[in-house]
Amino acid sequence: MSKISSRTLLFTILTTVFTLIVIDLYTWNHTRTFLLNGIRQDLHEKAALSLGLIDDKALENRDRVRLKQFTDEIKNLTGMRTTLIGKQGEVLADSEIPIDELNNVENHLNRKELQQALRTGSGLAIRNSATIGQELLYYAEPIRENGRVIGFIRFALLYPEFRNRMAYVTGLIARINLFLIVVVIGAVLLYWNWLTRQMENLRTPLIGQKEAPDYQMLPDQKYEEMDRIKADINAIGEKLQIAREELVSDQQLLLNIFDSLDEGVAAFDFDGLPLLNNRSFIDILKLKDGADHTRPFYDWVHFPPLIQDIESYLEKREPIKRRLKYYGDSFIEYKILPLKFNPREDSGFLVTLRDVTQLQQLETIRQDFVANVSHEFKTPLTSIRGYAETLLSEMAEDRELRKKFLEKIVSRTEHLENLVTDLLQLSRIEKNEITTIDRINPIPDIQEVAEEFMHISRSRKMKFDFEIMDFEKDIFIRASANLLHTLLSNLIMNALQYNHPEGSVWLRIKVEHEYLRIEVQDTGVGFTKEQRERIFERFYRVEAARSSYVQGTGLGLSIVRHIVELLEGKIEVESEPGKGSLFRVEFPII
Ligand code: ADP
């Protein structure tokens, strides 16, 4: 790139040289004309004097001898070579040429000085004399008679003075030129130096800011032009600073959003070096040390299937999606996709991750559930079918047997009905499709359930005891009468079912630490600690219970647990095989 300094210098020198040439030519020409005019004036006077001395008759008669005498005389007087020329240009006499040689002298009519003299009254020319081989100055004037040109008088003189004077003038001009050029170049350099310093005053603080995070305003400048540039740069700097801050805050916002995603995302370049990743990526992969941005993924992602998939993606560039068992019980699902900074080419690859442990568990639960439901339905259906087929066959004639089989069919059908009812109830509770939960006083509803079971237990010859521990005022909990009814019925029914004949059941209500506590206790068969862990599972039934209470579905306690969760309560169980069980439910009083 060309420099302003060199351009300025070149421009200044060219302008100066051009100006000097014009001035020089003008000066030189004028000086020359001035000098020549002086000479012309002097010679004109000499010519006028000489012509006063000329013998007109001799000129008329072309008396060469007389005319030669005249030219010699004039030469003696003036010291200049004198020539008389006829009006046709023929040389009549010359102080330097003998008369007999005059015929050999060529015609002078075309000589510059003569032509000029004809036009303007006097002619001056400087040229090399072929005769003496030196530069001579020629001056000619016409000789007139009655206004007619009858000839010319011409002086020729060696005029080294003129040359010397012109040489002096030329030398003077050259020195002045040199001086001016040196002065101009010096001035330009000094000026440039000064201007550069002014620019540096602006540039130096700017250079310092190249790496700085924030823009620092440039200081005020001494000169107006520089100060205007400073103001412009500051305005741009300020604008850039604002744009940068906006960009940073936008980026921060995006990073926050990116970080709060449940899905893990990481971008890698083709060497496998991470460019960006969010927190979920680290959390889902359980990377204790986080992502190492200086090393490729295979150094810190310790999951061989993912590493293999990334390698295969890098080879084939085909997106990959996979769900796999990760460490422990966790499952992850990942996708490997192209990373594009522009639509035309890939810049690396993206890995997105999801923790699908819960989803996988739900899937397993769903599969188990379908298997369990099918199983629970299959047993009664198989026996119904068996009894029905037997009825259709030979035994159908036996009235007693027919009755017995039909009763079995009814009982199995009841069981199926129970199953369907319980399943529907469970699904409604799970889906939250239940009557609205309100702030209610639960005591009247509990009393109602207690009365219902009082009758049932009496008909079974079992003891049922209902106790309300004294509390003075009304209490309120978040519940619905329906849900309370279902919960208590299930617990009390179990207490009656899994009990000894003539066993006892207690229903106790008390208020403790801002909680309403409901206890259902029995003197029944109880269950072991291991069984206690599982009784709330769907379809779980203690083996012995299957024969003692055939109509059971294994869903009752599941329903109880869901209701307790829905009403934000707690449930605890104590039990000892052969001695009895205690179910304790607590709801916060509001
Ligand atoms: P179901 O009573 O229909 O079998 P539940 O979910 O209500 O189903 O109970 C699951 C299992 O827990 C029962 O089959 C039974 O083995 C056991 N169980 C429940 N309540 C009691 C209890 N009070 N005493 C002894 N065992 C019980």
Side-chain angles (χ1 to χ4, degrees):
M1 200 183 280
S2 58
K3 280 182 158 186
I4 297 182
S5 54
S6 8
R7 286 209 141 213
T8 313
L9 195 62
L10 187 72
F11 178 76
T12 318
I13 289 174
L14 285 180
T15 316
T16 313
V17 167
F18 176 76
T19 315
L20 285 176
I21 287 174
V22 172
I23 293 172
D24 289 353
L25 282 177
Y26 180 83
T27 314
W28 190 83
N29 211 25
H30 258 259
T31 313
R32 191 171 182 274
T33 312
F34 175 75
L35 285 177
L36 286 177
N37 278 348
I39 294 167
R40 194 188 286 267
Q41 187 58 36
D42 180 41
L43 290 176
H44 172 69
E45 280 163 17
K46 284 186 172 143
L49 277 174
S50 305
L51 287 177
L53 296 177
I54 196 164
D55 182 348
D56 291 345
K57 279 226 167 87
L59 187 62
E60 212 174 298
N61 300 331
R62 298 178 175 252
D63 184 343
R64 293 195 171 191
V65 179
R66 290 281 300 133
L67 292 176
K68 170 80 173 146
Q69 277 170 358
F70 171 75
T71 55
D72 289 348
E73 246 171 70
I74 298 298
K75 172 157 188 202
N76 282 339
L77 282 172
T78 61
M80 291 184 291
R81 174 182 169 186
T82 308
T83 313
L84 280 173
I85 301 160
K87 64 176 180 186
Q88 300 300 334
E90 71 279 14
V91 176
L92 300 176
D94 190 302
S95 58
E96 308 302 314
I97 304 170
I99 295 171
D100 47 349
E101 283 177 29
L102 279 177
N103 287 337
N104 303 333
V105 178
E106 64 177 54
N107 189 295
H108 276 32
L109 192 64
N110 286 332
R111 296 282 161 92
K112 197 177 158 198
E113 62 275 13
L114 255 65
Q115 287 298 320
Q116 222 179 61
L118 265 178
R119 281 197 313 276
T120 64
S122 69
L124 198 69
I126 298 170
R127 65 174 172 274
N128 258 340
S129 157
T131 336
I132 56 170
Q134 266 180 320
E135 203 169 59
L136 286 173
L137 190 142
Y138 295 93
Y139 178 79
E141 264 189 36
I143 307 167
R144 296 177 192 271
E145 195 186 64
N146 303 326
R148 263 184 332 110
V149 175
I150 53 164
F152 298 92
I153 181 164
R154 188 185 81 166
F155 297 123
L157 63 159
L158 264 173
Y159 202 58
E161 269 310 278
F162 177 72
R163 245 193 183 268
N164 289 346
R165 280 180 198 178
M166 282 317 289
Y168 175 76
V169 169
T170 312
L172 191 68
I173 288 173
R175 279 197 300 282
I176 291 172
N177 283 356
L178 195 70
F179 173 74
L180 279 178
I181 286 175
V182 169
V183 168
V184 167
I185 291 177
V188 166
L189 288 179
L190 279 175
Y191 171 73
W192 186 253
N193 196 324
W194 175 83
L195 201 65
T196 311
R197 258 185 290 124
Q198 301 310 313
M199 288 196 242
E200 285 301 313
N201 282 349
L202 270 183
R203 207 174 144 241
T204 316
L206 272 179
I207 293 171
Q209 296 206 35
K210 268 192 198 163
E211 307 297 327
D214 292 323
Y215 179 72
Q216 304 291 328
M217 290 289 178
L218 295 179
D220 286 346
Q221 300 293 306
K222 199 168 160 190
Y223 299 97
E224 199 188 323
E225 293 86 341
M226 288 300 185
D227 205 57
R228 277 209 296 269
I229 297 175
K230 169 224 84 179
D232 290 344
I233 295 175
N234 276 349
I236 295 169
E238 230 175 336
K239 227 164 124 181
L240 280 178
Q241 174 80 9
I242 293 169
R244 188 181 161 276
E245 277 165 10
E246 276 173 6
L247 211 71
V248 167
S249 77
D250 283 357
Q251 196 186 23
Q252 200 55 46
L253 179 76
L254 286 177
L255 281 177
N256 275 349
I257 296 172
F258 183 57
D259 241 4
S260 62
L261 291 177
D262 284 338
E263 197 163 66
V265 185
F268 297 89
D269 65 13
F270 280 125
D271 295 326
L273 285 170
L275 305 169
L276 192 69
N277 65 277
N278 66 359
R279 201 168 300 144
S280 297
F281 187 84
I282 303 300
D283 293 346
I284 294 171
L285 287 181
K286 301 183 179 75
L287 299 171
K288 271 188 259 95
D289 304 329
D292 187 340
H293 285 243
T294 58
R295 290 188 301 154
F297 65 91
Y298 47 74
D299 278 353
W300 47 273
V301 173
H302 309 291
F303 188 47
L306 176 59
I307 294 176
Q308 272 166 22
D309 277 337
I310 290 175
E311 276 162 1
S312 122
Y313 172 82
L314 288 175
E315 220 171 88
K316 299 181 193 147
R317 299 288 168 85
E318 284 166 9
I320 295 173
K321 180 180 177 182
R322 211 181 293 285
R323 183 183 286 194
L324 284 175
K325 190 168 183 347
Y326 196 54
Y327 295 109
D329 291 333
S330 60
F331 279 81
I332 56 167
E333 185 175 274
Y334 58 77
K335 279 193 240 168
I336 306 170
L337 303 161
L339 171 70
K340 287 181 188 294
F341 287 148
N342 66 58
R344 269 164 283 117
E345 53 169 358
D346 293 1
S347 312
F349 59 92
L350 269 179
V351 178
T352 66
L353 284 173
R354 275 200 310 152
D355 184 343
V356 289
T357 313
Q358 245 184 344
L359 217 67
Q360 191 66 28
Q361 276 168 357
L362 284 175
E363 181 69 4
T364 316
I365 289 171
R366 192 187 62 80
Q367 285 163 358
D368 288 355
F369 180 73
V370 172
N372 284 337
V373 170
S374 317
H375 178 76
E376 291 299 323
F377 273 80
K378 199 167 186 317
T379 322
L381 280 172
T382 315
S383 48
I384 290 172
R385 187 184 172 172
Y387 289 125
E389 278 173 357
T390 319
L391 280 173
L392 279 175
S393 67
E394 71 276 9
M395 275 184 215
E397 298 303 316
D398 184 338
R399 210 182 138 72
E400 269 307 298
L401 204 64
R402 217 167 62 200
K403 186 172 176 254
K404 196 177 151 198
F405 280 12
L406 283 171
E407 277 169 1
K408 293 267 186 201
I409 289 174
V410 170
S411 149
R412 294 294 179 273
T413 318
E414 262 175 32
H415 178 62
L416 279 176
E417 218 176 298
N418 287 350
L419 261 176
V420 172
T421 313
D422 281 359
L423 276 173
L424 281 174
Q425 199 165 26
L426 190 62
S427 121
R428 271 200 213 108
I429 295 168
E430 274 183 344
K431 288 192 338 204
N432 242 337
E433 281 177 13
I434 21 114
T435 44
T436 38
I437 298 169
D438 279 328
R439 181 174 181 268
I440 59 163
N441 180 358
I443 306 302
D445 296 313
I446 297 172
Q447 278 169 331
E448 201 179 298
V449 180
E451 268 167 39
E452 205 179 295
F453 277 94
M454 214 81 92
H455 296 296
I456 297 173
S457 58
R458 212 171 294 141
S459 69
R460 294 190 179 202
K461 299 205 173 47
M462 292 177 78
K463 200 166 157 261
F464 179 77
D465 206 6
F466 175 45
E467 294 171 35
I468 297 186
M469 305 298 179
D470 293 331
F471 44 86
E472 282 115 42
K473 50 180 175 53
D474 285 346
I475 52 149
F476 291 91
I477 63 166
R478 268 184 76 252
S480 87
N482 273 348
L483 290 176
L484 267 183
H485 192 279
T486 312
L487 179 137
L488 288 173
S489 306
N490 271 301
L491 288 178
I492 302 169
M493 199 56 177
N494 280 353
L496 292 171
Q497 290 298 345
Y498 306 109
N499 214 325
H500 305 294
E502 295 172 21
S504 303
V505 174
W506 292 270
L507 171 62
R508 287 187 214 98
I509 311 290
K510 46 181 152 177
V511 172
E512 208 153 279
H513 307 299
E514 296 300 301
Y515 277 89
L516 169 73
R517 180 184 283 183
I518 306 169
E519 285 180 352
V520 178
Q521 193 176 5
D522 63 63
T523 53
V525 295
F527 38 79
T528 63
K529 209 175 158 202
E530 290 74 41
Q531 288 162 342
R532 194 179 68 199
E533 302 292 314
R534 302 199 54 196
I535 52 172
F536 290 102
E537 286 176 18
R538 285 179 194 144
F539 300 112
Y540 178 78
R541 305 190 71 197
V542 174
E543 205 44 56
R546 294 187 182 271
S547 46
S548 70
Y549 175 37
V550 192
Q551 301 298 51
T553 60
L555 292 170
L557 287 180
S558 252
I559 294 171
V560 166
R561 193 194 64 188
H562 274 94
I563 294 175
V564 171
E565 278 173 8
L566 200 68
L567 302 183
E568 291 165 6
K570 284 189 288 192
I571 184 160
E572 284 172 1
V573 188
E574 291 170 18
S575 182
E576 211 176 310
K579 289 205 169 162
S581 317
L582 169 67
F583 286 82
R584 187 181 299 120
V585 184
E586 284 182 347
F587 294 113
I589 293 172
I590 53 173

